[in-house]
Amino acid sequence: MKKLTSLLSAIAVITILFAIESCSKSSTVKPTVKATLYDSLGGSVMVSDPASPGKTIEKGRLGIRSVIDSTIFVIAGDTRINGHFTVLLGEVTKGNLSGFTELSDNLTTFVAVATGAKDYKYDGLSMTDAHNPATNSRMNGKASSADFDAFVDDLVKGANKVGLPSNLLGSVGKIVVSLKAQVVQK
Ligand code: HEM
């Protein structure tokens, strides 16, 4: 009887030790949420939007938008490729910024989603359709490989103008280069 009591006590002690061990393990296990490039670009924390007083915007989206807008300005002055943007430039020259605003918004959402943003959905044209004059009348002529390289060059200039750190520019650049076959259609 004494033996049975000590056996039962030993089992009880072992059970308690196991319970404590598994409890302490479960409290130290952290969910593994991988940081995305979008997080490095600022992520989903809300900040005030300098372009719309009183409104807020995700910090990542704001950073991407400033790179995009800066790049559009560089492209507008680049005679190597600005001939593709005649519709847009014609509107802007007349003071009509609607096409610019839409392009800025679509490009920003495209890059935000491509870098891992969760709160936006890109609903613009596919990269193939956006760069085919037959499906996008705003695209003046198909882009060549040299046009693409000039675009990347302008993106680097645009990003540097707003101070995007070079490691982040490198990561965004990899995504852009991966799309070359869809954009270059001649
Ligand atoms: C990987 C690089 C590129 C990306 C990610 C990109 C992305 C985009 C996106 C998201 C749009 C808007 C589509 C829509 O409105 O639904 C667009 C439009 C356009 N893209 Fe690209 N693009 C790239 C390279 C180029 C190049 C190399 C050229 C020509 C040199 C070009 C010329 C245009 C033009 C002319 C438009 C129409 C602009 C407008 O709405 O007025 N893109 N692009």
Side-chain angles (χ1 to χ4, degrees), residues 2-186:
K2 206 175 167 199
K3 266 191 181 168
L4 183 66
T5 317
S6 32
L7 182 65
L8 285 175
S9 323
I11 290 171
V13 168
I14 290 167
T15 310
I16 290 165
L17 285 176
F18 263 110
I20 292 171
E21 170 71 0
S22 61
C23 255
S24 69
K25 264 192 189 148
S26 66
S27 64
T28 54
V29 172
K30 292 195 177 79
T32 46
V33 180
K34 222 173 152 232
T36 61
L37 175 55
Y38 186 70
D39 291 323
S40 308
L41 290 163
S44 56
V45 57
M46 298 307 287
V47 294
S48 57
D49 184 351
S52 308
K55 290 196 176 160
T56 55
I57 183 171
E58 290 192 3
K59 197 174 173 200
R61 185 180 181 90
L62 176 61
I64 293 168
R65 191 185 69 194
S66 56
V67 171
I68 294 294
D69 289 353
S70 170
T71 302
I72 295 174
F73 280 109
V74 176
I75 290 173
D78 182 352
T79 52
R80 292 176 297 175
I81 54 171
N82 60 10
H84 289 287
F85 292 81
T86 44
V87 178
L88 178 71
L89 297 177
E91 289 168 354
V92 174
T93 310
K94 288 189 203 125
N96 172 9
L97 291 181
S98 61
F100 169 82
T101 307
E102 198 179 331
L103 178 64
S104 165
D105 210 47
N106 271 344
L107 262 164
T108 301
T109 303
F110 183 86
V111 176
V113 171
T115 55
K118 300 279 181 294
D119 302 327
Y120 305 104
K121 192 178 167 294
Y122 176 71
D123 56 9
L125 295 169
S126 71
M127 282 306 93
T128 308
D129 286 351
H131 300 97
N132 180 356
T135 41
N136 184 8
S137 58
R138 299 180 66 84
M139 175 82 189
N140 188 27
K142 291 182 172 180
S144 67
S145 181
D147 293 334
F148 188 87
D149 295 346
F151 179 95
V152 173
D153 189 33
D154 291 349
L155 172 65
V156 171
K157 285 186 187 143
N160 285 336
K161 273 180 193 278
V162 296
L164 182 72
S166 59
N167 61 323
L168 296 182
L169 175 56
S171 302
V172 172
K174 277 184 194 154
I175 296 174
V176 168
V177 169
S178 76
L179 298 164
K180 185 168 183 174
Q182 293 165 56
V183 173
V184 173
Q185 299 182 27
K186 76 168 183 193

